Amino acid sequence: MRVCFVTSECAPFVKTGGLADVSGSLPPALSGLGAEVKVFLPLYDLVDREKSGIAAEDFPETSVEAGGEKRGFSLWSRRKDGVDYYFIDCPYYFGRGKVYTNDEDENERFILFQHAVLRTLQFMKWKPDIFHCNDWQASYIPAMLKLQYAWDEIFRNSKSILSIHNIGYQGIFEPDTVTKAGFGESSFVLGGPFEFNGNANMLKTGIYYADAVSTVSPTYAEEITTQEFGSGLEGVLKARKDSITGILNGIDTEEWNPVTDKLIESNYSAMNPAGKAENKAALLNACGFGGNESIPLYGIVSRLAWQKGIELVLEFCEKNIGKDFRLVVLGSGEEKYEKQLKKLASAHPEKIKVSVEYNNKLAHMITAGSDFFMMPSRYEPCGLNQMYSLNYGTVPIVRKVGGLADTVIDISDKENGNGISFPEFVYAEFEEAVMRSMKLYEDRALLAAVIKRGMERDFSWRKSGGEYMALYESLC
Ligand code: ADP
Ligand code: GLC
């Protein structure tokens, strides 16, 4: 099985969120299951070429038209964990100090990327059985294959899958996006695959043309066909319901494993959990909270976006600041949240610490050192942090949506409970959930049992990697 995996970010090379984690860990898992995998991503200037160990390929400078002008690109690569990683180097589009931009030509950046992937494969004469396209940045490929590259026999038997990691981001741009990508002007028809409320919508096009659509948890696969969660695409998705599969993300158990993690103070396991306390002490210290270890410590690591429900946390802190708890937040994103969180922390430095930055080591320290991890998301396609937390013995407090509903079992289930969850996105429910966590913190025996269940659950790619392979095989 030859798989061409197309993504806009991939750990450890470049990461803004969970898509990078998945792109960095699913392909090696597929390779372990016998697939031959090539991953393609843009070579942003943020990628440290030396540290990443990537080298320029012997590749003729090629140009692609995206936006009325021809732009040249070249190719870099690296083989790692049985997978070939290819980087499309086009400094004009990818040398902007950011992965995603609000620049006027954001659409052109990923149009160039997608054509460049297909042109590279033509040059290599490599015939993929499957194009695994991720999110809107790769979602024109299914249409390009059917409408523009079908003449080339190397793509004759290729099938495409579009994985939706977050329906909140669709790649909506001016109508001329369609012609910039090389589709005829006549393809932009009202209500057709390229048009959405008068604009171009790259994700919609992908949903329409992909041979199969997948998303990152079974619950989210159901949710996105409803008005509440479909972000306007529920109708298009409903029409393809039989071709949509929800496959729960796995986690990279080498990068996120309390037994071997080199970024934390002390290693520990479900059988031997004592080391967790040292991580809490180290985290308290790093936050400048002093040494009182008997107060519950809450952690958050998150993009600060509307999706993540930060409002509930802010309200909780305002209303309950007199209670005995501590909170450490690591995140960056929307300025509004950054400001509100910083303000809260500067008013209560003795119990709230906020780091507005991207910091992988601190992310690991928070995951290992906190007692509870908060994820009160409005929606959550899968979510990885709750799985990391469970495996690190840090009890997640989550809203019961998407992948959070598929991984966190509330402690009201006495046999299986591994966390705390609340059904509706309303403040009172979140507050009650946090109060229940404070009670749980006092019940040491129950807490230990809940922690153990989380640590013992297998979130590796073992099962889900097999599900992707089965999906590929069903198409070929
Ligand atoms: P999303 O992809 O919606 O942001 P996920 O839970 O799937 O949510 O994945 C988020 C990933 O990004 C996790 O690996 C998390 O640890 C990481 N992350 C998010 N914000 C930061 C940050 N400020 N510093 C370090 N890592 C972060
Ligand atoms: C998205 C989602 C997140 C998911 C990640 C990886 O960024 O917001 O829930 O875990 O993609 O699939």
Side-chain angles (χ1 to χ4, degrees):
M1 178 71 63
R2 284 182 299 270
V3 182
C4 175
F5 191 93
V6 190
T7 181
S8 55
E9 49 182 281
C10 179
F13 309 110
V14 59
K15 167 167 164 177
T16 72
L19 172 60
D21 292 334
V22 171
S23 302
S25 54
L26 172 57
L30 295 170
S31 159
L33 293 168
E36 187 184 339
V37 192
K38 294 190 191 302
V39 175
F40 281 83
L41 69 154
L43 184 53
Y44 307 99
D45 53 355
L46 299 169
V47 177
D48 185 324
R49 296 175 195 214
E50 207 173 306
K51 258 201 208 149
S52 306
I54 63 177
E57 283 270 314
D58 189 9
F59 183 79
E61 171 105 10
T62 308
S63 56
V64 161
E65 201 176 299
E69 267 193 64
K70 285 200 171 227
R71 305 279 174 202
F73 74 91
S74 61
L75 191 68
W76 291 61
S77 74
R78 150 118 201 241
R79 191 169 170 82
K80 183 176 165 294
D81 305 329
V83 173
D84 290 313
Y85 293 86
Y86 290 99
F87 299 79
I88 301 294
D89 184 19
C90 177
Y92 177 81
Y93 283 128
F94 302 125
R96 305 209 176 163
K98 281 188 198 157
V99 174
Y100 309 118
T101 75
N102 289 320
D103 298 349
E104 248 178 33
D105 59 356
E106 183 70 354
N107 52 358
E108 294 172 18
R109 298 174 74 223
F110 293 100
I111 287 170
L112 174 124
F113 170 57
Q114 297 176 82
H115 276 304
V117 170
L118 297 172
R119 298 284 293 278
T120 304
L121 293 172
Q122 287 178 316
F123 171 77
M124 291 174 171
K125 301 198 170 40
W126 194 73
K127 297 182 182 179
D129 297 307
I130 294 290
F131 277 89
H132 189 150
C133 306
N134 294 278
D135 281 350
W136 71 261
Q137 292 87 353
S139 68
Y140 264 180
I141 285 186
M144 288 172 171
L145 286 169
K146 291 202 165 115
L147 305 177
Q148 298 179 11
Y149 290 79
W151 60 270
D152 192 332
E153 69 89 26
I154 79 158
F155 300 130
R156 187 160 302 151
N157 296 317
S158 301
K159 301 287 182 205
S160 61
I161 292 176
L162 173 64
S163 282
I164 301 173
H165 295 261
N166 193 332
I167 198 107
Y169 302 87
Q170 299 178 359
I172 297 174
F173 300 103
E174 295 284 307
D176 67 356
T177 302
V178 171
T179 44
K180 282 181 173 171
F183 299 108
E185 214 165 307
S186 59
S187 36
F188 192 78
V189 178
L190 206 67
F194 289 88
E195 188 272 348
F196 180 76
N197 296 336
N199 283 312
N201 180 322
M202 295 170 87
L203 194 70
K204 176 181 174 184
T205 305
I207 294 170
Y208 192 93
Y209 282 102
D211 293 302
V213 176
S214 77
T215 183
V216 290
S217 69
T219 296
Y220 195 59
E222 292 290 324
E223 288 172 346
I224 53 176
T225 61
T226 66
Q227 202 184 357
E228 184 184 357
F229 293 103
S231 293
L233 290 181
E234 56 277 6
V236 187
L237 287 160
K238 228 183 249 164
R240 294 224 59 190
K241 205 163 189 324
D242 293 342
S243 312
I244 304 178
T245 324
I247 301 178
L248 189 72
N249 283 335
I251 65 172
D252 181 338
T253 47
E254 279 179 29
E255 161 86 4
W256 291 95
N257 186 342
V259 180
T260 52
D261 193 332
K262 291 197 174 54
L263 299 174
I264 62 176
E265 184 71 17
S266 173
N267 292 118
Y268 58 101
S269 65
M271 295 297 285
N272 194 359
K276 184 157 171 68
E278 287 171 44
N279 290 295
K280 181 172 178 180
L283 182 59
L284 286 170
N285 197 25
C287 294
F289 286 156
N292 191 343
E293 278 152 42
S294 60
I295 297 174
L297 176 58
Y298 294 80
I300 293 178
V301 179
S302 183
R303 283 186 298 115
L304 299 177
W306 179 81
Q307 170 193 352
K308 302 293 180 180
I310 300 299
E311 291 84 350
L312 298 187
V313 178
L314 289 162
E315 190 171 343
F316 179 85
C317 292
E318 276 160 26
K319 295 196 167 141
N320 294 280
I321 202 69
K323 294 213 165 63
D324 252 355
F325 74 95
R326 280 159 175 170
L327 169 68
V328 47
V329 183
L330 167 63
S332 64
E334 284 176 37
E335 206 184 319
K336 173 177 90 174
Y337 298 120
E338 294 186 356
K339 272 196 184 147
Q340 286 173 310
L341 284 165
K342 277 193 198 156
K343 197 170 146 206
L344 184 70
S346 62
H348 309 283
E350 72 296 345
K351 55 171 55 165
I352 295 167
K353 168 81 184 171
V354 171
S355 285
V356 173
E357 59 173 329
Y358 185 87
N359 184 333
N360 190 41
K361 181 172 162 56
L362 186 54
H364 281 251
M365 286 173 67
I366 292 174
T367 306
S370 306
D371 297 301
F372 298 97
F373 193 94
M374 289 176 166
M375 267 179 106
S377 305
R378 281 194 168 81
Y379 71 94
E380 196 60 73
C382 180
L384 299 171
N385 286 298
Q386 83 282 9
M387 295 194 265
Y388 301 154
S389 296
L390 284 163
N391 277 181
Y392 277 72
T394 301
V395 180
I397 302 174
V398 306
R399 177 172 175 215
K400 197 170 184 209
V401 271
L404 299 173
D406 292 332
T407 49
V408 177
I409 305 167
D410 188 79
I411 50 171
S412 54
D413 179 337
K414 299 225 165 9
E415 309 268 284
N416 304 302
N418 61 11
I420 295 179
S421 73
F422 59 98
E424 295 302 325
F425 189 83
V426 288
Y427 174 70
E429 290 197 12
F430 176 64
E431 183 175 72
E432 197 217 330
V434 183
M435 293 308 173
R436 286 200 289 135
S437 74
M438 289 182 175
K439 234 172 112 191
L440 174 63
Y441 187 75
E442 299 303 322
D443 186 341
R444 303 313 283 183
L446 180 59
L447 180 62
V450 170
I451 287 176
K452 189 156 186 283
R453 281 180 214 133
M455 292 189 79
E456 282 173 350
R457 179 143 168 204
D458 178 8
F459 289 114
S460 72
W461 277 106
R462 213 169 36 91
K463 181 160 174 277
S464 301
E467 287 178 34
Y468 276 111
M469 289 296 278
L471 176 60
Y472 299 160
E473 270 151 25
S474 74
L475 293 176
C476 291

PDB file of all heavy atoms in Angstrom, residues 53-77:
ATOM      1  N   GLY A  53      17.493  17.957  10.187  1.00  0.00           N
ATOM      2  CA  GLY A  53      18.250  16.955   9.419  1.00  0.00           C
ATOM      3  C   GLY A  53      17.751  16.768   8.000  1.00  0.00           C
ATOM      4  O   GLY A  53      17.832  15.668   7.438  1.00  0.00           O
ATOM      5  N   ILE A  54      17.234  17.847   7.406  1.00  0.00           N
ATOM      6  CA  ILE A  54      16.707  17.680   6.051  1.00  0.00           C
ATOM      7  C   ILE A  54      17.724  18.180   5.024  1.00  0.00           C
ATOM      8  O   ILE A  54      18.509  19.082   5.303  1.00  0.00           O
ATOM      9  CB  ILE A  54      15.355  18.401   5.863  1.00  0.00           C
ATOM     10  CG1 ILE A  54      15.481  19.917   6.050  1.00  0.00           C
ATOM     11  CG2 ILE A  54      14.326  17.854   6.845  1.00  0.00           C
ATOM     12  CD1 ILE A  54      14.192  20.659   5.796  1.00  0.00           C
ATOM     13  N   ALA A  55      17.689  17.570   3.850  1.00  0.00           N
ATOM     14  CA  ALA A  55      18.674  17.917   2.818  1.00  0.00           C
ATOM     15  C   ALA A  55      17.973  18.191   1.498  1.00  0.00           C
ATOM     16  O   ALA A  55      16.896  17.639   1.231  1.00  0.00           O
ATOM     17  CB  ALA A  55      19.651  16.754   2.651  1.00  0.00           C
ATOM     18  N   ALA A  56      18.610  19.044   0.680  1.00  0.00           N
ATOM     19  CA  ALA A  56      18.027  19.375  -0.624  1.00  0.00           C
ATOM     20  C   ALA A  56      18.093  18.146  -1.532  1.00  0.00           C
ATOM     21  O   ALA A  56      19.086  17.437  -1.560  1.00  0.00           O
ATOM     22  CB  ALA A  56      18.781  20.535  -1.247  1.00  0.00           C
ATOM     23  N   GLU A  57      17.007  17.897  -2.238  1.00  0.00           N
ATOM     24  CA  GLU A  57      16.947  16.786  -3.190  1.00  0.00           C
ATOM     25  C   GLU A  57      17.509  17.247  -4.528  1.00  0.00           C
ATOM     26  O   GLU A  57      17.441  18.435  -4.859  1.00  0.00           O
ATOM     27  CB  GLU A  57      15.488  16.400  -3.438  1.00  0.00           C
ATOM     28  CG  GLU A  57      14.847  15.595  -2.356  1.00  0.00           C
ATOM     29  CD  GLU A  57      15.028  14.099  -2.571  1.00  0.00           C
ATOM     30  OE1 GLU A  57      14.827  13.625  -3.693  1.00  0.00           O
ATOM     31  OE2 GLU A  57      15.359  13.426  -1.584  1.00  0.00           O
ATOM     32  N   ASP A  58      18.004  16.298  -5.279  1.00  0.00           N
ATOM     33  CA  ASP A  58      18.417  16.599  -6.630  1.00  0.00           C
ATOM     34  C   ASP A  58      17.139  16.666  -7.462  1.00  0.00           C
ATOM     35  O   ASP A  58      16.610  15.654  -7.902  1.00  0.00           O
ATOM     36  CB  ASP A  58      19.323  15.454  -7.109  1.00  0.00           C
ATOM     37  CG  ASP A  58      19.971  15.806  -8.416  1.00  0.00           C
ATOM     38  OD1 ASP A  58      19.845  16.978  -8.838  1.00  0.00           O
ATOM     39  OD2 ASP A  58      20.571  14.897  -9.023  1.00  0.00           O
ATOM     40  N   PHE A  59      16.619  17.864  -7.608  1.00  0.00           N
ATOM     41  CA  PHE A  59      15.285  18.033  -8.181  1.00  0.00           C
ATOM     42  C   PHE A  59      15.321  19.255  -9.083  1.00  0.00           C
ATOM     43  O   PHE A  59      15.786  20.315  -8.671  1.00  0.00           O
ATOM     44  CB  PHE A  59      14.302  18.256  -7.016  1.00  0.00           C
ATOM     45  CG  PHE A  59      12.864  18.368  -7.417  1.00  0.00           C
ATOM     46  CD1 PHE A  59      12.118  17.233  -7.714  1.00  0.00           C
ATOM     47  CD2 PHE A  59      12.236  19.609  -7.475  1.00  0.00           C
ATOM     48  CE1 PHE A  59      10.783  17.338  -8.059  1.00  0.00           C
ATOM     49  CE2 PHE A  59      10.901  19.716  -7.825  1.00  0.00           C
ATOM     50  CZ  PHE A  59      10.174  18.575  -8.114  1.00  0.00           C
ATOM     51  N   PRO A  60      14.885  19.140 -10.326  1.00  0.00           N
ATOM     52  CA  PRO A  60      14.967  20.302 -11.223  1.00  0.00           C
ATOM     53  C   PRO A  60      14.030  21.405 -10.747  1.00  0.00           C
ATOM     54  O   PRO A  60      12.877  21.113 -10.404  1.00  0.00           O
ATOM     55  CB  PRO A  60      14.476  19.748 -12.566  1.00  0.00           C
ATOM     56  CG  PRO A  60      13.626  18.577 -12.202  1.00  0.00           C
ATOM     57  CD  PRO A  60      14.177  18.013 -10.936  1.00  0.00           C
ATOM     58  N   GLU A  61      14.523  22.610 -10.661  1.00  0.00           N
ATOM     59  CA  GLU A  61      13.657  23.723 -10.239  1.00  0.00           C
ATOM     60  C   GLU A  61      12.419  23.714 -11.148  1.00  0.00           C
ATOM     61  O   GLU A  61      12.517  23.705 -12.376  1.00  0.00           O
ATOM     62  CB  GLU A  61      14.425  25.050 -10.331  1.00  0.00           C
ATOM     63  CG  GLU A  61      13.556  26.270 -10.115  1.00  0.00           C
ATOM     64  CD  GLU A  61      13.739  26.926  -8.738  1.00  0.00           C
ATOM     65  OE1 GLU A  61      14.673  26.556  -7.993  1.00  0.00           O
ATOM     66  OE2 GLU A  61      12.919  27.826  -8.439  1.00  0.00           O
ATOM     67  N   THR A  62      11.254  23.655 -10.518  1.00  0.00           N
ATOM     68  CA  THR A  62      10.002  23.522 -11.263  1.00  0.00           C
ATOM     69  C   THR A  62       9.123  24.692 -10.874  1.00  0.00           C
ATOM     70  O   THR A  62       9.215  25.191  -9.756  1.00  0.00           O
ATOM     71  CB  THR A  62       9.313  22.204 -10.842  1.00  0.00           C
ATOM     72  OG1 THR A  62      10.257  21.152 -10.976  1.00  0.00           O
ATOM     73  CG2 THR A  62       8.089  21.896 -11.676  1.00  0.00           C
ATOM     74  N   SER A  63       8.253  25.124 -11.781  1.00  0.00           N
ATOM     75  CA  SER A  63       7.370  26.203 -11.358  1.00  0.00           C
ATOM     76  C   SER A  63       5.906  25.818 -11.551  1.00  0.00           C
ATOM     77  O   SER A  63       5.561  24.952 -12.349  1.00  0.00           O
ATOM     78  CB  SER A  63       7.707  27.504 -12.073  1.00  0.00           C
ATOM     79  OG  SER A  63       7.654  27.294 -13.447  1.00  0.00           O
ATOM     80  N   VAL A  64       5.094  26.477 -10.748  1.00  0.00           N
ATOM     81  CA  VAL A  64       3.661  26.205 -10.725  1.00  0.00           C
ATOM     82  C   VAL A  64       2.971  27.549 -10.752  1.00  0.00           C
ATOM     83  O   VAL A  64       3.445  28.511 -10.149  1.00  0.00           O
ATOM     84  CB  VAL A  64       3.296  25.471  -9.408  1.00  0.00           C
ATOM     85  CG1 VAL A  64       1.815  25.568  -9.126  1.00  0.00           C
ATOM     86  CG2 VAL A  64       3.737  24.023  -9.437  1.00  0.00           C
ATOM     87  N   GLU A  65       1.827  27.616 -11.431  1.00  0.00           N
ATOM     88  CA  GLU A  65       1.093  28.874 -11.437  1.00  0.00           C
ATOM     89  C   GLU A  65       0.053  28.848 -10.329  1.00  0.00           C
ATOM     90  O   GLU A  65      -0.756  27.934 -10.239  1.00  0.00           O
ATOM     91  CB  GLU A  65       0.420  29.068 -12.795  1.00  0.00           C
ATOM     92  CG  GLU A  65       0.094  30.520 -13.034  1.00  0.00           C
ATOM     93  CD  GLU A  65      -0.494  30.735 -14.411  1.00  0.00           C
ATOM     94  OE1 GLU A  65       0.205  30.440 -15.398  1.00  0.00           O
ATOM     95  OE2 GLU A  65      -1.640  31.196 -14.460  1.00  0.00           O
ATOM     96  N   ALA A  66       0.139  29.831  -9.439  1.00  0.00           N
ATOM     97  CA  ALA A  66      -0.876  29.941  -8.381  1.00  0.00           C
ATOM     98  C   ALA A  66      -1.083  31.423  -8.179  1.00  0.00           C
ATOM     99  O   ALA A  66      -0.268  32.071  -7.552  1.00  0.00           O
ATOM    100  CB  ALA A  66      -0.382  29.294  -7.100  1.00  0.00           C
ATOM    101  N   GLY A  67      -2.117  31.987  -8.736  1.00  0.00           N
ATOM    102  CA  GLY A  67      -2.339  33.410  -8.549  1.00  0.00           C
ATOM    103  C   GLY A  67      -1.827  34.223  -9.713  1.00  0.00           C
ATOM    104  O   GLY A  67      -1.322  35.332  -9.506  1.00  0.00           O
ATOM    105  N   GLY A  68      -1.885  33.669 -10.885  1.00  0.00           N
ATOM    106  CA  GLY A  68      -1.555  34.442 -12.074  1.00  0.00           C
ATOM    107  C   GLY A  68      -0.079  34.498 -12.393  1.00  0.00           C
ATOM    108  O   GLY A  68       0.303  34.915 -13.479  1.00  0.00           O
ATOM    109  N   GLU A  69       0.783  34.089 -11.460  1.00  0.00           N
ATOM    110  CA  GLU A  69       2.214  34.136 -11.751  1.00  0.00           C
ATOM    111  C   GLU A  69       2.864  32.806 -11.482  1.00  0.00           C
ATOM    112  O   GLU A  69       2.457  32.082 -10.569  1.00  0.00           O
ATOM    113  CB  GLU A  69       2.871  35.208 -10.876  1.00  0.00           C
ATOM    114  CG  GLU A  69       2.922  36.525 -11.593  1.00  0.00           C
ATOM    115  CD  GLU A  69       3.818  37.509 -10.898  1.00  0.00           C
ATOM    116  OE1 GLU A  69       5.034  37.245 -10.832  1.00  0.00           O
ATOM    117  OE2 GLU A  69       3.293  38.523 -10.416  1.00  0.00           O
ATOM    118  N   LYS A  70       3.888  32.518 -12.267  1.00  0.00           N
ATOM    119  CA  LYS A  70       4.595  31.258 -12.042  1.00  0.00           C
ATOM    120  C   LYS A  70       5.555  31.413 -10.876  1.00  0.00           C
ATOM    121  O   LYS A  70       6.286  32.389 -10.801  1.00  0.00           O
ATOM    122  CB  LYS A  70       5.362  30.865 -13.300  1.00  0.00           C
ATOM    123  CG  LYS A  70       4.442  30.334 -14.368  1.00  0.00           C
ATOM    124  CD  LYS A  70       5.199  29.510 -15.387  1.00  0.00           C
ATOM    125  CE  LYS A  70       4.182  28.839 -16.273  1.00  0.00           C
ATOM    126  NZ  LYS A  70       4.262  27.556 -16.581  1.00  0.00           N
ATOM    127  N   ARG A  71       5.530  30.466  -9.970  1.00  0.00           N
ATOM    128  CA  ARG A  71       6.444  30.483  -8.819  1.00  0.00           C
ATOM    129  C   ARG A  71       7.244  29.189  -8.807  1.00  0.00           C
ATOM    130  O   ARG A  71       6.659  28.110  -8.896  1.00  0.00           O
ATOM    131  CB  ARG A  71       5.654  30.560  -7.504  1.00  0.00           C
ATOM    132  CG  ARG A  71       4.695  31.722  -7.407  1.00  0.00           C
ATOM    133  CD  ARG A  71       5.418  32.996  -7.005  1.00  0.00           C
ATOM    134  NE  ARG A  71       4.501  34.122  -7.065  1.00  0.00           N
ATOM    135  CZ  ARG A  71       4.852  35.378  -7.182  1.00  0.00           C
ATOM    136  NH1 ARG A  71       6.143  35.700  -7.254  1.00  0.00           N
ATOM    137  NH2 ARG A  71       3.966  36.334  -7.222  1.00  0.00           N
ATOM    138  N   GLY A  72       8.520  29.344  -8.637  1.00  0.00           N
ATOM    139  CA  GLY A  72       9.372  28.158  -8.617  1.00  0.00           C
ATOM    140  C   GLY A  72       9.369  27.496  -7.244  1.00  0.00           C
ATOM    141  O   GLY A  72       9.140  28.139  -6.232  1.00  0.00           O
ATOM    142  N   PHE A  73       9.585  26.189  -7.227  1.00  0.00           N
ATOM    143  CA  PHE A  73       9.771  25.507  -5.938  1.00  0.00           C
ATOM    144  C   PHE A  73      10.843  24.443  -6.096  1.00  0.00           C
ATOM    145  O   PHE A  73      11.104  23.977  -7.211  1.00  0.00           O
ATOM    146  CB  PHE A  73       8.459  24.898  -5.441  1.00  0.00           C
ATOM    147  CG  PHE A  73       8.020  23.654  -6.173  1.00  0.00           C
ATOM    148  CD1 PHE A  73       8.394  22.392  -5.726  1.00  0.00           C
ATOM    149  CD2 PHE A  73       7.224  23.746  -7.309  1.00  0.00           C
ATOM    150  CE1 PHE A  73       7.990  21.247  -6.399  1.00  0.00           C
ATOM    151  CE2 PHE A  73       6.814  22.602  -7.997  1.00  0.00           C
ATOM    152  CZ  PHE A  73       7.200  21.350  -7.538  1.00  0.00           C
ATOM    153  N   SER A  74      11.453  24.081  -4.994  1.00  0.00           N
ATOM    154  CA  SER A  74      12.381  22.951  -5.014  1.00  0.00           C
ATOM    155  C   SER A  74      12.022  22.018  -3.864  1.00  0.00           C
ATOM    156  O   SER A  74      11.069  22.269  -3.119  1.00  0.00           O
ATOM    157  CB  SER A  74      13.824  23.439  -4.922  1.00  0.00           C
ATOM    158  OG  SER A  74      14.004  24.127  -3.716  1.00  0.00           O
ATOM    159  N   LEU A  75      12.787  20.950  -3.718  1.00  0.00           N
ATOM    160  CA  LEU A  75      12.370  19.880  -2.813  1.00  0.00           C
ATOM    161  C   LEU A  75      13.466  19.533  -1.816  1.00  0.00           C
ATOM    162  O   LEU A  75      14.636  19.438  -2.182  1.00  0.00           O
ATOM    163  CB  LEU A  75      12.044  18.645  -3.682  1.00  0.00           C
ATOM    164  CG  LEU A  75      11.350  17.488  -3.002  1.00  0.00           C
ATOM    165  CD1 LEU A  75       9.931  17.894  -2.613  1.00  0.00           C
ATOM    166  CD2 LEU A  75      11.296  16.285  -3.952  1.00  0.00           C
ATOM    167  N   TRP A  76      13.071  19.346  -0.567  1.00  0.00           N
ATOM    168  CA  TRP A  76      13.987  18.887   0.479  1.00  0.00           C
ATOM    169  C   TRP A  76      13.411  17.609   1.068  1.00  0.00           C
ATOM    170  O   TRP A  76      12.203  17.366   0.956  1.00  0.00           O
ATOM    171  CB  TRP A  76      14.132  19.950   1.581  1.00  0.00           C
ATOM    172  CG  TRP A  76      14.870  21.173   1.133  1.00  0.00           C
ATOM    173  CD1 TRP A  76      14.503  22.026   0.130  1.00  0.00           C
ATOM    174  CD2 TRP A  76      16.095  21.680   1.669  1.00  0.00           C
ATOM    175  NE1 TRP A  76      15.432  23.038   0.001  1.00  0.00           N
ATOM    176  CE2 TRP A  76      16.416  22.852   0.941  1.00  0.00           C
ATOM    177  CE3 TRP A  76      16.955  21.274   2.694  1.00  0.00           C
ATOM    178  CZ2 TRP A  76      17.566  23.601   1.206  1.00  0.00           C
ATOM    179  CZ3 TRP A  76      18.097  22.019   2.963  1.00  0.00           C
ATOM    180  CH2 TRP A  76      18.394  23.175   2.215  1.00  0.00           C
ATOM    181  N   SER A  77      14.256  16.820   1.702  1.00  0.00           N
ATOM    182  CA  SER A  77      13.693  15.575   2.236  1.00  0.00           C
ATOM    183  C   SER A  77      14.484  15.049   3.420  1.00  0.00           C
ATOM    184  O   SER A  77      15.595  15.498   3.717  1.00  0.00           O
ATOM    185  CB  SER A  77      13.668  14.506   1.149  1.00  0.00           C
ATOM    186  OG  SER A  77      14.981  14.034   0.940  1.00  0.00           O
TER     187      SER A  77
END
